[in-house]
Amino acid sequence: MHSKTHDKTPVFHISRRTGLPWQKALGIRFAGIVLALVVCGFITMAATGLNPISVYGTMIEGNFGTSRRIWMLLQNMSILLCISLALAPAFRMSFWNLGGDGQALMGALGAASCMILVGDRVPGGVLILLMVLASIACGMLWALIPAFFKANFGTNETLFTLMMNYVATQLVAYFIIRWEVPKGSGKIGIINQSSKAGWFPMIGGNKYLLNVLIVAVVTILVYVYMRYSKQGYELSVVGESEPTARYVGIKINHVVIRTMLLSGALCGVAGLLLVGGTDHTLTTTIIGGRGFTGVMVAWLARFNPIVMVATTFLLVFLQGGSSEITTIFGLNQSFGDIITGIILFFILGCDFFLNYKITRSKTGKEAA
Amino acid sequence: MEKKEPVLQLKHVTKRFGEVAANEDISLDVYKGEILALLGENGSGKTTLMNLISGIYFPDEGEIYANGKQVVIASPRDAFSLDIGMIHQHFKLVDVLTATENIVLGLEEEGKLDLKKSAARIEEICEKYGFSMDPSKKIYDMSVSEKQTVEIVKVLYRGASLLILDEPTAVLTPQETQTLFGVLRNMKQDGKSVIIITHKLAEVLEISDRVAILRHGRYITSMDTDKVNAQELTDAMVGHAVSLNIERPIPKKPRDRIVVEGLTVKSEDGVVKLQNVGFHARSGEILGIAGVAGNGQKELLEAIAGLQPIESGSIRYLDEDGKEEELVGKDPQAIMELGVSLAFVPEDRLGMGLVGNMDLADNMMLRSFRNGKGIFTDRKAPRELAEQVVEKLEVNTPGIATMVRKLSGGNVQKVLVGREIANAPTVLLTAYAVRGLDIHSSYTIYDLINQQKKSGVAVVYVGEDLDVLLELCDRILVLCDGQVSGIVDARKTDKQEIGFLMTSVGGGTDAQ
């Protein structure tokens, strides 16, 4: 037998929280952001000798400084949110779709191919309709392939969707060479620059407003779908417990394929909005890794489409802000990434405090 | 009584999880050479208390004394060094290793690893206490009771003088339980102390010297076993008088409802789970299924519910008018669409019957979500059903918006059974419906099952407690190794006969 060993008594311990009021939860999140800003401030001062307040000011300036910047912020938010909304149902179903990039890129390819191949031969309205159909079909196809193999052969969807991204990039690279303008440039350039065929109409002279409105509608639709529809309920059950799904007669393979078709279709829409709405060109990097950023957006919001608007804003704001500070202060690109990393670390760290609390042991004091 | 020396004393021990006090101000002594039964309803804090002693949890308040000295048990290692060993409900063994290898695993002994020497010591321990075990047998070749033996020997090998067993008999046949009790008595003779958690009152009375009762996380009393009876124990445990008799009305006009013939089921890796099983389940009757766990009970119910691929055989459903439907080859939705109202309470409640991360209302929706208008689910009916179930079955929950996994075992089961019987089923399949439930909740479930029986439902009740099977069921089918080893009239049989059938493949008399 051991002798008395009071020193082993833990000083504090961690226990699970139950029923945290939302005000307090919000407070913890807010405290997390404040703490993140303070820590970032110290690191900024230590590493660069700059005044953190002016650095933060520049980040805000970079996002909200001019109306053009605000529109850029909104446009970037729309595309990222659209892809995140596409991923949310798949993730809720516990189908780890890391192929958002590829699916959106295929959507972009679909839209661009219509503009290039039939652009001048059909009326504007018909062309846009064709673009919509083509981009959705391409996105769906790219999601269907891994879903089919997962449903029928139990393949690992994480790897499969990830690899499909590279295939999509190569495919787009091939078509860019085929359709390059001018020959030998290796680029497509602005498609239908003179005829503007297949360019989405501007609303009130504003290039970005239509995209913003479309994604706003998609957000509401996805929210309603996930929360109130039978299909949304089915995919949640499949994601939580496949045996339970089978128990109530939900056909899992069917749900997997259906949900991935939806996921791919929405990614396709994101590609469409980029090509038809704003960029009017096609490059292999047009999606810009949003298929992966979208994973973060969706997870941070716990797949709630309305909360995803806020998480999208956060990530786009940080991205815009950090690129602004690197230009204004002549800092290395990595510095923006460091700040983004710290802020995300604190926001994710909040989850620990939302789920657990730390209490000092009473035993410790008594025994000492 | 005075000269008994406590080997372990708990003084004013409190453990809270959030707002809930799982153990509050518990003071309890364990004496040398006694078998102490720890009795309490579910959620009364038995397992929490044992986890405090074995170093899995650390108390918020209070002191623990071992052999008169105050000690701190901050990890299972600390518990071991105090000679306290716990045998958990779920075994922690490495399948591909032998018994000996499992027993010495993790021990830090001086010098070279000498398995022969260890095996000899294990034989010695087995001899001393009357275990029968082959130290060189691999775990994957072992039966549940053999695995349990390995767990107990492992603890003894480490020199434990206080053993804690968490529901050790839940997985054993009556014969195996007797063997275990024999071993426990030998340990007692040797001066070891044993704490045993069990729900079965008959066992408490049979094996223990003293019973300590917990209720709602508090220590109520402890009594010498030879001075109490089952009724007194139940009353102390529940806090008010409870009737212990299970009702068994005579079936009214039983008619064949499910006819199973030549049913053979294989698992995915080709192992035969059920072989040539045949029986009739009748309306207004409870058909009990007995057998050692894992002898095909799960597969049998899942086959009827449309969840098992079937090799051969037929499962026919006969409705009131005698119309027949073949259920083989149909999935649960197809069966539902036939108009067959089949209720199924599976063994793994949170893994199959319910979704732990959804709230009560959403769980009610599992059966009814297809009823909504158009593409939308109907959210109102499930919410009303949830309210009803909570009220009628006295589910203890903060509200219907609480996630099911946060409820205690008994309440989870009430939610599941409540939903399953809500659709006026004609067949009710239940697997281990009262497993892990306390007396009070168990009797609520028996009542609900009896109500279904009286309203003409054909009930199939897979159970593990033979006393209950004998009291509740009309007929009992015994499964052994995936085969029917007998179908007996529950009113005319006894434990011995069923225990015998449970271990004889295809043997015994067929009463059908």
Side-chain angles (χ1 to χ4, degrees):
Chain A
M1 293 266 169
H2 279 218
S3 58
K4 288 210 276 183
T5 42
H6 288 315
D7 50 325
K8 281 195 295 182
T9 309
V11 188
F12 59 85
H13 59 260
I14 296 160
S15 56
R16 214 164 233 295
R17 274 183 202 275
T18 43
L20 191 70
W22 66 268
Q23 296 95 330
K24 215 171 164 188
L26 206 66
I28 290 175
R29 291 225 177 266
F30 186 71
I33 291 176
V34 170
L35 208 61
L37 292 177
V38 171
V39 171
C40 284
F42 278 113
I43 287 177
T44 311
M45 278 201 294
T48 65
L50 297 167
N51 176 3
I53 305 291
S54 72
V55 171
Y56 293 146
T58 311
M59 286 181 85
I60 294 170
E61 179 74 18
N63 282 295
F64 295 107
T66 61
S67 73
R68 197 189 122 71
R69 281 177 176 175
I70 296 175
W71 278 115
M72 279 309 293
L73 175 82
L74 288 174
Q75 156 67 9
N76 283 327
M77 274 181 69
S78 307
I79 302 298
L80 180 59
L81 183 58
C82 187
I83 294 180
S84 311
L85 288 167
L87 299 180
F91 275 79
R92 174 50 70 74
M93 193 178 63
S94 297
F95 185 109
W96 313 118
N97 180 11
L98 297 186
D101 247 42
Q103 290 149 26
L105 190 57
M106 288 306 287
L109 177 64
S113 62
C114 292
M115 288 165 76
I116 293 167
L117 298 176
V118 291
D120 304 322
R121 275 176 277 163
V122 293
V126 176
L127 176 61
I128 287 180
L129 187 69
L130 278 177
M131 285 165 68
V132 171
L133 293 176
S135 59
I136 289 180
C138 288
M140 279 172 134
L141 175 69
W142 232 239
L144 176 68
I145 296 168
F148 174 81
F149 280 91
K150 164 89 174 176
N152 292 295
F153 306 106
T155 51
N156 179 324
E157 77 277 12
T158 315
L159 273 174
F160 208 135
T161 50
L162 198 62
M163 301 313 275
M164 291 296 283
N165 290 334
Y166 300 102
V167 181
T169 308
Q170 293 308 315
L171 206 59
V172 169
Y174 167 77
F175 281 107
I176 288 175
I177 301 298
R178 277 199 67 139
W179 295 330
E180 64 187 352
V181 178
K183 283 283 168 219
S185 68
K187 282 190 290 193
I188 281 185
I190 303 296
I191 307 168
N192 302 341
Q193 191 154 26
S194 48
S195 67
K196 296 208 158 106
W199 291 32
F200 284 3
M202 296 199 207
I203 298 176
N206 199 304
K207 186 174 162 187
Y208 301 117
L209 186 57
L210 183 66
N211 281 2
V212 174
L213 291 177
I214 290 173
V215 175
V217 172
V218 171
T219 308
I220 293 163
L221 289 179
V222 172
Y223 178 78
V224 171
Y225 177 79
M226 301 233 310
R227 218 182 146 102
Y228 296 103
S229 78
K230 291 176 187 172
Q231 298 191 353
Y233 181 75
E234 283 184 338
L235 71 88
S236 302
V237 175
V238 170
E240 289 288 346
S241 162
E242 290 193 7
T244 305
R246 260 196 301 276
Y247 166 84
V248 292
I250 294 172
K251 290 175 187 62
I252 295 172
N253 292 353
H254 188 90
V255 173
V256 166
I257 288 182
R258 186 181 68 203
T259 307
M260 278 306 287
L261 285 176
L262 173 72
S263 195
L266 287 178
C267 280
V269 169
L272 169 77
L273 295 183
L274 273 173
V275 173
T278 52
D279 292 17
H280 311 306
T281 183
L282 180 66
T283 67
T284 52
T285 55
I286 192 167
I287 308 302
R290 289 186 183 95
F292 299 100
T293 319
V295 174
M296 198 149 59
V297 169
W299 265 105
L300 276 172
R302 293 288 128 90
F303 317 131
N304 180 330
I306 305 298
V307 181
M308 273 159 58
V309 178
T311 52
T312 307
F313 169 77
L314 178 79
L315 285 167
V316 172
F317 175 86
L318 286 174
Q319 253 164 19
S322 40
S323 80
E324 182 75 7
I325 52 173
T326 46
T327 2
I328 297 282
F329 296 106
L331 295 171
N332 188 303
Q333 176 68 46
S334 310
F335 192 71
D337 293 342
I338 292 173
I339 299 229
T340 309
I342 292 171
I343 292 177
L344 284 176
F345 177 82
F346 274 87
I347 286 170
L348 291 171
C350 281
D351 270 8
F352 176 81
F353 292 95
L354 289 172
N355 288 318
Y356 298 96
K357 66 178 173 191
I358 296 174
T359 22
R360 276 185 63 98
S361 290
K362 285 178 193 155
T363 341
K365 277 180 273 172
E366 280 163 22
Chain B
M1 293 288 146
E2 297 304 310
K3 60 180 164 50
K4 280 201 295 187
E5 47 173 318
V7 288
L8 187 80
Q9 290 171 287
L10 303 176
K11 290 189 174 165
H12 310 293
V13 171
T14 295
K15 175 75 193 171
R16 290 192 191 85
F17 295 106
E19 301 298 304
V20 185
N23 287 155
E24 192 159 6
D25 195 20
I26 291 186
S27 300
L28 179 68
D29 293 350
V30 185
Y31 299 100
K32 192 172 158 57
E34 76 164 348
I35 298 179
L36 173 72
L38 197 57
L39 198 59
E41 295 203 88
N42 268 91
S44 62
K46 301 181 299 275
T47 303
T48 305
L49 190 65
M50 292 305 108
N51 282 337
L52 289 176
I53 298 173
S54 56
I56 291 170
Y57 294 147
F58 192 79
D60 295 335
E61 284 167 42
E63 295 121 51
I64 300 177
Y65 294 81
N67 293 323
K69 275 183 255 165
Q70 187 174 358
V71 292
V72 172
I73 306 175
S75 70
R77 200 170 276 267
D78 290 354
F80 264 128
S81 66
L82 294 169
D83 298 340
I84 298 170
M86 180 149 174
I87 292 105
H88 293 271
Q89 236 176 320
H90 303 281
F91 306 138
K92 296 164 176 24
L93 297 169
V94 182
D95 265 356
V96 294
L97 297 184
T98 63
T100 308
E101 286 163 341
N102 264 287
I103 287 166
V104 298
L105 195 68
L107 268 183
E108 286 167 20
E109 280 180 328
E110 292 291 315
K112 254 172 63 185
L113 177 67
D114 186 351
L115 282 177
K116 271 199 196 121
K117 216 173 95 193
S118 307
R121 243 191 86 198
I122 291 167
E123 301 268 23
E124 205 179 295
I125 292 172
C126 290
E127 188 118 350
K128 188 170 172 190
Y129 298 108
F131 293 108
S132 61
M133 186 184 83
D134 175 7
S136 59
K137 201 169 175 182
K138 304 259 192 200
I139 301 298
Y140 60 73
D141 280 332
M142 291 188 169
S143 69
V144 179
S145 112
E146 284 177 295
K147 287 181 194 170
Q148 187 179 55
T149 306
V150 177
E151 285 280 8
I152 299 173
V153 173
K154 184 163 84 180
V155 168
L156 290 172
Y157 188 90
R158 277 146 217 244
S161 61
L162 170 62
L163 283 89
I164 304 168
L165 295 107
D166 191 354
E167 298 206 37
T169 61
V171 289
L172 303 180
T173 61
Q175 285 82 355
E176 288 167 341
T177 303
Q178 284 313 318
T179 313
L180 173 69
F181 284 179
V183 168
L184 294 183
R185 287 192 192 102
N186 290 340
M187 287 188 208
K188 187 172 96 175
Q189 291 301 323
D190 193 42
K192 297 198 184 296
S193 313
V194 175
I195 304 179
I196 177 167
I197 299 180
T198 172
H199 283 318
K200 300 176 190 167
L201 291 174
E203 291 178 353
V204 171
L205 293 169
E206 186 183 344
I207 187 71
S208 70
D209 301 308
R210 218 157 50 91
V211 191
I213 292 175
L214 299 185
R215 192 198 311 150
H216 302 314
R218 288 176 174 274
Y219 169 74
I220 301 301
T221 178
S222 70
M223 300 182 257
D224 289 326
T225 310
D226 50 16
K227 291 183 191 125
V228 293
N229 61 33
Q231 188 65 53
E232 284 166 356
L233 286 177
T234 315
D235 295 352
M237 192 162 88
V238 179
H240 53 85
V242 181
S243 162
L244 275 186
N245 295 319
I246 304 175
E247 194 192 3
R248 177 163 55 188
I250 301 286
K252 276 184 214 154
K253 293 188 228 154
R255 297 174 58 169
D256 284 350
R257 176 108 322 147
I258 296 266
V259 177
V260 177
E261 278 169 347
L263 183 66
T264 298
V265 168
K266 282 185 187 168
S267 69
E268 264 177 45
D269 38 3
V271 180
V272 176
K273 290 292 184 180
L274 289 175
Q275 199 183 331
N276 200 20
V277 167
F279 65 91
H280 300 229
R282 299 177 189 140
S283 64
E285 191 187 70
I286 300 179
L287 175 69
I289 311 266
V292 179
N295 272 274
Q297 296 94 320
K298 178 171 176 262
E299 288 77 13
L300 178 57
L301 293 195
E302 290 188 359
I304 300 174
L307 295 165
Q308 276 283 348
I310 286 157
E311 283 291 306
S312 59
S314 82
I315 301 170
R316 278 171 300 139
Y317 172 85
L318 284 75
D319 69 8
E320 283 302 312
D321 315 318
K323 213 175 79 182
E324 289 190 14
E325 299 282 4
E326 179 61 52
L327 301 187
V328 170
K330 300 201 167 66
D331 74 353
Q333 201 191 345
I335 293 175
M336 220 186 302
E337 280 163 4
L338 280 179
V340 178
S341 184
L342 200 114
F344 179 26
V345 178
E347 176 181 354
D348 185 2
R349 294 154 204 164
L350 287 178
M352 183 181 249
L354 299 165
V355 180
N357 278 332
M358 288 186 178
D359 67 17
L360 268 69
D362 281 356
N363 269 292
M364 292 297 157
M365 206 149 92
L366 278 168
R367 283 288 186 206
S368 63
F369 74 93
R370 294 189 182 90
N371 298 346
K373 272 186 206 141
I375 65 158
F376 293 108
T377 52
D378 171 21
R379 299 170 67 81
K380 207 172 141 212
R383 218 175 292 145
E384 283 168 1
L385 178 60
E387 300 272 11
Q388 264 176 35
V389 169
V390 167
E391 199 195 307
K392 274 199 198 148
L393 305 191
E394 295 168 10
V395 179
N396 189 2
T397 169
I400 61 162
T402 303
M403 281 191 215
V404 167
R405 70 176 160 83
K406 294 196 171 165
L407 303 182
S408 74
N411 288 310
V412 167
Q413 186 69 323
K414 285 181 192 170
V415 170
L416 177 53
V417 173
R419 185 192 70 208
E420 288 302 298
I421 60 179
N423 288 332
T426 50
V427 178
L428 171 62
L429 310 171
T430 67
Y432 307 110
V434 299
R435 177 182 282 177
L437 265 60
D438 56 56
I439 303 252
H440 192 68
S441 313
S442 298
Y443 277 77
T444 313
I445 301 293
Y446 301 145
D447 275 351
L448 288 169
I449 290 174
N450 264 323
Q451 278 171 27
Q452 295 302 308
K453 169 185 170 178
K454 279 188 249 174
S455 60
V457 175
V459 181
V460 180
Y461 179 91
V462 173
E464 50 196 344
D465 188 335
L466 291 186
D467 293 305
V468 171
L469 279 165
L470 287 168
E471 276 188 69
L472 177 72
C473 304
D474 299 296
R475 289 183 304 142
I476 298 175
L477 181 157
V478 187
L479 277 178
C480 179
D481 208 19
Q483 300 178 36
V484 178
S485 55
I487 300 176
V488 292
D489 184 339
R491 289 178 177 81
K492 289 180 192 150
T493 186
D494 58 21
K495 255 179 156 172
Q496 271 61 43
E497 187 187 359
I498 295 190
F500 169 72
L501 289 172
M502 277 164 79
T503 49
S504 46
V505 181
T509 47
D510 197 346
Q512 272 235 300

